[in-house]
Amino acid sequence: MLLQVILEGLGLGALLVLVCAVGIRKGAVGMVHLYSLAVQERCVKLGLTTHEKIKRNSLLFKTVCVPGYIGYVLVCVYAVNGAKGFVQGFWQLLVILSVMNLVDRFLIDGYWVGCTNAWTIPETEDLKPYITAKDKQKKWLLGTAGMAVIAAVLAAMMTAFIH
């Protein structure tokens, strides 16, 4: 079961990579809502985007992707894996979300954003690294603790819903 849950986490990570790839398909400015305010402001100043487009893309990302990710993990854990009760649901949700978090930290942030030019926005290179050491610390802390909280909340909700 653990291997299956890890594979489901890799599936969620692949879904995140796909969302990012679609988001930057016409250039990294398409995902500038994920960048620092300084990068966003520079993009607006350069005429690459507007505050309205940034806000719209951020809202679209949150309203489509977050529920999609939650739906994915709930289907995996409860429909596919047949989890019953809080403990079974919690550990599976935590593993899936944690694997996705690792994909995000290492593959997306560490390699794709940090070591390739795919996420480079022209005329913002002086603002690199786009993900600073301080940002990385926050993402590790919030990602790790956040996944545990999300897993606990979802497991509690599903346990109450099922029983």
Side-chain angles (χ1 to χ4, degrees):
M1 176 61 75
L2 180 60
L3 179 59
Q4 180 174 333
V5 175
I6 290 170
L7 290 173
E8 291 164 347
L10 290 172
L12 184 59
L15 187 59
L16 177 61
V17 169
L18 178 63
V19 165
C20 291
V22 168
I24 66 167
R25 74 190 178 286
K26 296 179 184 173
V29 76
M31 295 288 274
V32 75
H33 63 275
L34 299 175
Y35 291 66
S36 70
L37 190 55
V39 177
Q40 293 177 26
E41 291 298 330
R42 176 78 58 85
C43 289
V44 171
K45 182 180 174 187
L46 292 168
L48 301 173
T49 191
T50 64
H51 289 290
E52 292 75 26
K53 284 182 184 177
I54 293 170
K55 193 174 188 175
R56 186 183 75 231
N57 286 347
S58 177
L59 185 61
L60 182 65
F61 185 79
K62 291 172 186 168
T63 58
V64 173
C65 296
V66 172
Y69 300 151
I70 291 171
Y72 174 93
V73 296
L74 292 177
V75 166
C76 287
V77 171
Y78 293 96
V80 175
N81 302 348
K84 303 277 188 256
F86 179 83
V87 174
Q88 282 185 354
F90 174 75
W91 82 260
Q92 290 182 41
L93 289 163
L94 182 60
V95 169
I96 294 170
L97 292 169
S98 296
V99 169
M100 187 266 312
N101 189 43
L102 291 173
V103 167
D104 193 12
R105 296 292 76 78
F106 287 116
L107 181 64
I108 297 173
D109 291 349
Y111 176 71
W112 201 8
V113 177
C115 298
T116 74
N117 289 323
W119 289 80
T120 299
I121 300 172
E123 299 185 51
T124 66
E125 292 89 348
D126 61 309
L127 299 173
K128 283 185 168 185
Y130 293 128
I131 304 171
T132 65
K134 187 177 179 180
D135 293 335
K136 287 179 184 178
Q137 287 177 336
K138 285 182 191 174
K139 286 181 163 213
W140 274 105
L141 178 63
L142 294 175
T144 304
M147 296 307 160
V149 169
I150 291 167
V153 169
L154 291 175
M157 287 173 42
M158 290 304 294
T159 300
F161 179 73
I162 293 170
H163 290 98

